[in-house]
Amino acid sequence: MTAAKNRILELRAELDQHNYRYHVLDEPSIPDIEYDRLFHELKALEAANPELVTSDSPTQRVGSAALSAFTQVRHEVPMLSLGNAFEETDMREFDRRVTEGLDLPVGDLFGGGAAVEYSCEPKLDGLAVSLLYQDGVLVRGATRGDGTTGEDISVNVRTVRNIPLKLHGTGWPATLEVRGEVFMSKAGFERLNATQLEVGGKTFANPRNAAAGSLRQLDSKITANRPLEFCCYGIGQVSADIAETHIGNLQQLKAWGLPISHELKLANGIAECLAYYRDIGERRNALPYEIDGVVFKVNSIAAQRELGFRAREPRWAIAHKFPAMEELTELLDVEFQVGRTGAVTPVARLKPVKVAGVTVANATLHNMDEVARLGLMIGDTVIIRRAGDVIPQVVQVVLERRPDNARPVKIPEQCPVCGSHVERTQLVKRSKGRETISEGAVYRCVGRLACGAQLKQAIIHFVSRRAMDIEGLGDKSVEQLVDEGLVSSPADLYALKFEDIVDLEGFAEVSSNKLLSAIEGSKKPGLARFIYALGIPDVGEETAKVLARSLGSLERVQRALPQVLTYLPDVGLEVAHEIHSFFEDAHNQQVIADLLKHGLQIQDQGDLGAEFAASTTLGGFLDKLHIPSVGPGGAQKLAEKFGSLQGVMSADWLDMRQALPEKQANSVREFFASEENRQLAEAAEKQLADFGMHWQSEKKVVEGLPLAGQTWVLTGSLELMSRDVAKDKLESLGAKVAGSVSAKTHCVVAGPGAGSKLTKANELGLKVLDEEAFVGFLKDHGVPV
Ligand code: NAD
């Protein structure tokens, strides 16, 4: 007896604490399933010892007290919780209680009972809110709180986009309290967490915590920026009845502009309820929002009134829960896996646990930044989440269950596979001529192909279908070939002999010959395929195709300087550096040379891609040099003025000043005063020329055009075309289009609303054209309008 009493007191204190964290702080420390276990333990103990039940027990109450930072709101009609069922038998038991409660005939194994009408709705996992409409106008929004007293969150609910501030149509009761769930879609949740990670803000373990944390904000501006949605599932206080059934009520609310579930259905009897549950269960992963079960309600309002309430829940409704997506388990160890590009990734080894029907023993930890963000230690109790088809993730540490002997997670200094040094990657960013280097989240084993793990992965990638497409060489065979020392680089595959293969596990005469001919058959890969097969970090199939198409030959790809590579579509400086350093590496050079020696003939090599060749202009090239404070516009001016890189580098101060304002002119001269910058620029220019790219000097292009040497100004608004289009047209005639009027301006095009520029043009006695005259001028010069 005292043991039971003690346990009851212990459980109450613990559940109170979890209720507070969940309902008030929106920061639960354990998954729901663990809370439910403790709750059911308490319920069972109280059922066995009814004399110990007190009204303040969590089994008798709803939620938790309102947060005092918000104004409090009294619910005229209490906002209750729901009873829940996990098994079909619980549901049949619920149906029996309802049928009995309504004095209807109860069936037996052979049927024969009355079929009660139930409404079926998904149980959205968010936060319950009450919306009060007076004469059709939203006057108050509140949380559930402890069911009797909630928090006034009127300002916040107004920011939820699908909550109508005014009801549509007519005929609503003067007082209408609507109840429903504010939730966050799966996509909204992913987006929010991604932005939070970017700005170093707090991330959320699941959409429900994100929704609750977003809605209960003291600053409604934060709420307004969160992707919250509302779904209505019932009514509270009303000054007049609406319909005779629950579904009738909801359909009327929908007509008044309130969103209700698209999945709302009527079930005739318990069997149809169970079918609905199974159907939604199968579609659960595909729904755009998270649900934790299905809510069934007796559809007739009269029957609901007859059945009434128990302490914390109605007798006419039940939540049939789905298997939980979060579970508790123990982090036994963190191991490090080495990937194809040498990335050393932490993987959580977990005490096996069933999550939503699947046993989970490992979970990805992404990188060491993630380990730090989670504050993870070996020995910790952690929350594992397995949402849909996504690989299991560790979402949280249960700090209060951290054992004394918990150990920190340390990145190994040596590669666990080959013993080479493990380095933290660096991120190179170049902006405004300055290179900044920061620490990346990834650690890499520097062993490259000398590392067994990387070698195996490299070969598996090399032979894969989208790479060299060598059929008959599975992962296990590759591992054997590497372990037996028969293959230590992709080139060794082409030296394999029948007797090397036939003794491998899973091989016999026929399969060995087949493999040899598959290897032989792979000797004429397309250039893109071959580049992809090399497994250059950050170079996927698409980038490989771009490299092949643009540069046209392996030789050019191997030689390309990072500055030249950045001309390729979607190749940034970081990837350009990866590609360049891959081909600079002596070991990689050897592998490529060996592959060619073994008779590999790379196909479709040829000229530089036309689109690439056309993509270079001198202005664009100068812009890519990232001269501090010189943007694309400044680079263009330099190109126009000097016509070549040499011209820019040797320009004197006065000439430079004619092209650019003082600060930029200084910056260009300073930039080219550095021998290193000159060499880099010259090398890139030379390489582009070697590759057969010759940019037209903008100067020459302009010469000979009708408006060459003229400066035009556009002001006011144009009706027939945008200012940008007008600018393009003028430039196609060789004019320069400037932003301000001076004595050097040749002509001003002034549309309606032109102001000070037009006044100045008139003062200076410049030629001014209105839009009509301008269009006529363009047509006279053969420019289509
Ligand atoms: P509940 O969430 O199981 O059910 C009631 C709630 O369901 C309603 O308040 C409403 O918000 C929601 N709901 C969604 N769709 C609905 C629909 N169509 N019709 C009616 N209601 C609908 O019960 P509860 O009392 O709000 O909270 C208990 C839940 O909270 C349990 O799942 C429990 O695990 C969890 N909890 C977790 C912790 C923790 O520490 N992890 C602490 C406290 C509570």
Side-chain angles (χ1 to χ4, degrees):
M1 178 67 177
T2 46
K5 188 170 178 187
N6 286 342
R7 183 63 186 150
I8 283 176
L9 292 178
E10 212 173 88
L11 283 167
R12 281 182 192 158
E14 196 174 343
L15 286 165
D16 278 343
Q17 189 55 29
H18 290 309
N19 270 325
Y20 176 73
R21 293 194 64 126
Y22 181 89
H23 292 290
V24 182
L25 303 182
D26 299 321
E27 267 181 6
S29 63
I30 53 166
D32 289 358
I33 195 160
E34 178 71 0
Y35 175 90
D36 293 344
R37 281 193 285 258
L38 297 171
F39 188 88
H40 280 110
E41 188 186 343
L42 177 61
K43 232 174 146 177
L45 278 173
E46 287 183 347
N49 304 280
E51 69 287 359
L52 296 179
V53 178
T54 54
S55 63
D56 67 349
S57 168
T59 57
Q60 308 299 307
R61 290 182 305 132
V62 172
S64 196
L67 197 62
S68 57
F70 291 99
T71 311
Q72 303 204 334
V73 164
R74 234 192 109 70
H75 299 300
E76 293 302 323
V77 178
M79 288 182 80
L80 298 181
S81 176
L82 288 170
N84 51 42
F86 287 89
E87 309 292 338
E88 248 184 64
T89 47
D90 302 334
M91 281 302 299
R92 292 190 189 282
E93 179 56 22
F94 164 74
D95 179 54
R96 193 190 53 75
R97 283 198 308 269
V98 167
T99 319
E100 266 177 12
L102 294 175
D103 280 338
L104 296 170
V106 176
D108 54 22
L109 271 180
F110 308 100
V116 177
E117 272 190 0
Y118 293 102
S119 74
C120 319
E121 293 159 80
K123 184 169 184 297
L124 291 166
D125 208 3
L127 185 74
V129 295
S130 137
L131 304 175
L132 185 63
Y133 288 88
Q134 292 288 11
D135 297 319
V137 176
L138 177 66
V139 293
R140 195 194 71 190
T143 63
R144 190 179 66 175
D146 64 3
T148 322
T149 311
E151 299 150 332
D152 189 330
I153 49 158
S154 304
V155 192
N156 297 5
V157 295
R158 280 179 217 278
T159 71
V160 177
R161 282 174 242 348
N162 69 344
I163 291 183
L165 302 181
K166 229 173 146 301
L167 297 181
H168 306 174
T170 51
W172 50 75
T175 298
L176 170 62
E177 187 204 347
V178 171
R179 289 178 178 176
E181 198 87 347
V182 166
F183 64 99
M184 202 177 278
S185 70
K186 293 174 186 171
F189 165 71
E190 298 293 340
R191 249 192 347 261
L192 172 63
N193 264 359
T195 354
Q196 293 291 96
L197 265 183
E198 246 168 55
V199 300
K202 176 187 155 140
T203 55
F204 297 93
N206 55 43
R208 132 90 223 176
N209 293 354
S214 299
L215 189 62
R216 296 177 66 253
Q217 283 284 340
L218 293 175
D219 179 357
S220 62
K221 282 205 257 352
I222 299 180
T223 312
N225 281 323
R226 301 279 171 86
L228 294 173
E229 288 169 59
F230 176 70
C231 178
C232 167
Y233 55 64
I235 50 175
Q237 187 194 0
V238 276
S239 53
D241 284 349
I242 300 174
E244 287 180 1
T245 60
H246 173 68
I247 293 184
N249 278 345
L250 290 187
Q251 271 158 353
Q252 182 55 64
L253 291 177
K254 184 179 173 195
W256 288 331
L258 286 152
I260 63 168
S261 173
H262 298 294
E263 303 286 348
L264 175 68
K265 287 229 167 68
L266 178 73
N268 220 335
I270 185 71
E272 286 187 26
C273 290
L274 295 172
Y276 179 91
Y277 174 84
R278 281 191 290 270
D279 170 56
I280 291 260
E282 276 164 24
R283 294 189 289 118
R284 183 183 184 192
N285 290 343
L287 293 176
Y289 40 79
E290 240 167 46
I291 59 175
D292 61 344
V294 170
V295 182
F296 297 107
K297 294 172 188 158
V298 171
N299 193 32
S300 152
I301 304 288
Q304 287 186 4
R305 288 196 179 122
E306 205 177 320
L307 288 162
F309 300 90
R310 270 197 291 210
R312 63 191 295 280
E313 60 210 33
R315 284 201 176 85
W316 42 265
I318 194 155
H320 191 182
K321 297 267 194 130
F322 286 131
M325 291 190 291
E326 289 180 6
E327 248 302 356
L328 276 186
T329 189
E330 204 180 304
L331 178 66
L332 301 176
D333 203 357
V334 172
E335 285 174 11
F336 290 87
Q337 270 176 359
V338 185
R340 173 166 65 80
T341 59
V344 178
T345 317
V347 178
R349 297 279 174 246
L350 305 163
K351 190 165 159 196
V353 62
K354 251 198 165 154
V355 191
V358 172
T359 304
V360 175
N362 305 311
T364 168
L365 290 168
H366 304 293
N367 54 45
M368 289 306 283
D369 282 3
E370 175 75 357
V371 171
R373 198 180 64 75
L374 289 166
L376 201 61
M377 289 178 86
I378 296 163
D380 269 339
T381 294
V382 291
I383 302 182
I384 300 301
R385 181 175 153 83
R386 194 187 143 261
D389 305 325
V390 183
I391 29 175
Q393 276 183 307
V394 175
V395 289
Q396 200 177 317
V397 170
V398 183
L399 277 180
E400 62 257 38
R401 299 202 186 171
R402 174 167 284 169
D404 292 340
N405 61 354
R407 290 179 286 133
V409 180
K410 279 211 230 106
I411 184 89
E413 282 171 20
Q414 262 86 40
C415 169
V417 179
C418 72
S420 299
H421 187 59
V422 170
E423 271 183 1
R424 188 163 194 170
T425 51
Q426 300 195 318
L427 294 177
V428 187
K429 275 218 179 90
R430 203 150 192 251
S431 123
K432 303 206 169 144
R434 259 181 281 277
E435 233 175 40
T436 43
I437 296 179
S438 56
E439 293 202 309
V442 176
Y443 285 79
R444 257 194 208 159
C445 155
V446 299
R448 301 239 178 151
L449 294 189
C451 169
Q454 289 182 65
L455 176 61
K456 284 175 189 168
Q457 292 299 321
I459 306 250
I460 290 170
H461 173 78
F462 186 81
V463 304
S464 65
R465 201 167 57 78
R466 310 187 81 92
M468 300 296 276
D469 193 18
I470 300 178
E471 225 179 291
L473 201 54
D475 298 4
K476 287 268 169 299
S477 323
V478 170
E479 282 179 18
Q480 282 185 71
L481 287 172
V482 170
D483 292 340
E484 303 278 325
L486 289 164
V487 166
S488 56
S489 103
D492 293 343
L493 290 171
Y494 294 90
L496 284 176
K497 293 188 207 55
F498 178 82
E499 52 275 24
D500 294 333
I501 305 173
V502 77
D503 291 337
L504 296 179
E505 224 179 283
F507 278 88
E509 204 176 312
V510 177
S511 48
S512 304
N513 281 324
K514 244 179 146 175
L515 176 58
L516 283 175
S517 68
I519 294 175
E520 192 59 30
S522 74
K523 280 187 170 173
K524 290 185 175 172
L527 179 57
R529 209 176 250 283
F530 181 72
I531 296 170
Y532 173 64
L534 291 175
I536 307 164
D538 291 339
V539 176
E541 255 183 306
E542 281 314 307
T543 310
K545 279 185 195 154
V546 166
L547 282 165
R549 197 175 59 222
S550 304
L551 296 177
S553 78
L554 177 62
E555 190 260 336
R556 283 193 207 101
V557 175
Q558 280 178 288
R559 275 204 301 138
L561 294 167
Q563 286 75 11
V564 171
L565 288 167
T566 58
Y567 272 94
L568 272 47
D570 296 328
V571 175
L573 198 64
E574 238 175 84
V575 178
H577 274 295
E578 285 285 8
I579 298 171
H580 182 66
S581 65
F582 180 90
F583 288 111
E584 273 212 314
D585 179 89
H587 185 85
N588 292 336
Q589 286 173 1
Q590 190 59 51
V591 172
I592 295 171
D594 288 349
L595 282 165
L596 298 177
K597 229 177 4 204
H598 280 110
L600 235 69
Q601 290 168 16
I602 294 154
Q603 306 299 298
D604 50 63
Q605 304 199 67
D607 292 340
L608 211 59
E611 114 201 73
F612 179 46
S615 69
T616 28
T617 61
L618 178 58
F621 174 74
L622 293 170
D623 182 37
K624 284 198 186 292
L625 296 177
H626 298 284
I627 304 169
S629 59
V630 178
Q636 186 60 27
K637 282 185 193 146
L638 287 173
E640 283 167 17
K641 172 85 182 155
F642 301 107
S644 72
L645 173 65
Q646 277 312 322
V648 177
M649 292 203 299
S650 56
D652 66 22
W653 164 247
L654 281 179
D655 280 350
M656 191 64 79
R657 274 294 282 117
Q658 277 180 0
L660 294 176
E662 187 169 344
K663 187 174 165 221
Q664 294 184 18
N666 278 334
S667 176
V668 176
R669 286 171 57 82
E670 219 172 274
F671 183 83
F672 287 117
S674 142
E675 189 54 32
E676 194 191 338
N677 286 342
R678 290 175 84 93
Q679 278 177 6
L680 263 175
E682 280 174 339
E685 190 199 34
K686 182 169 175 309
Q687 181 162 82
L688 286 168
D690 278 0
F691 283 3
M693 292 168 71
H694 297 284
W695 49 72
Q696 300 280 338
S697 119
E698 274 86 343
K699 212 173 169 186
K700 276 192 218 125
V701 175
V702 170
E703 267 166 26
L705 288 174
L707 305 186
Q710 296 191 9
T711 305
W712 285 53
V713 172
L714 297 163
T715 178
S717 60
L718 299 178
E719 277 158 15
L720 295 177
M721 65 187 93
S722 69
R723 297 242 296 252
D724 280 345
V725 171
K727 182 169 181 263
D728 282 350
K729 293 191 187 294
L730 283 168
E731 283 172 351
S732 73
L733 291 170
K736 229 181 95 182
V737 177
S740 61
V741 173
S742 75
K744 286 194 204 143
T745 309
H746 283 81
C747 184
V748 174
V749 178
S756 63
K757 285 181 198 165
L758 178 59
T759 319
K760 190 159 177 198
N762 287 331
E763 277 167 18
L764 292 169
L766 301 177
K767 185 169 150 194
V768 176
L769 298 180
D770 63 11
E771 187 169 13
E772 200 184 323
F774 175 56
V775 169
F777 174 89
L778 290 176
K779 282 186 182 153
D780 288 349
H781 284 82
V783 179
V785 180

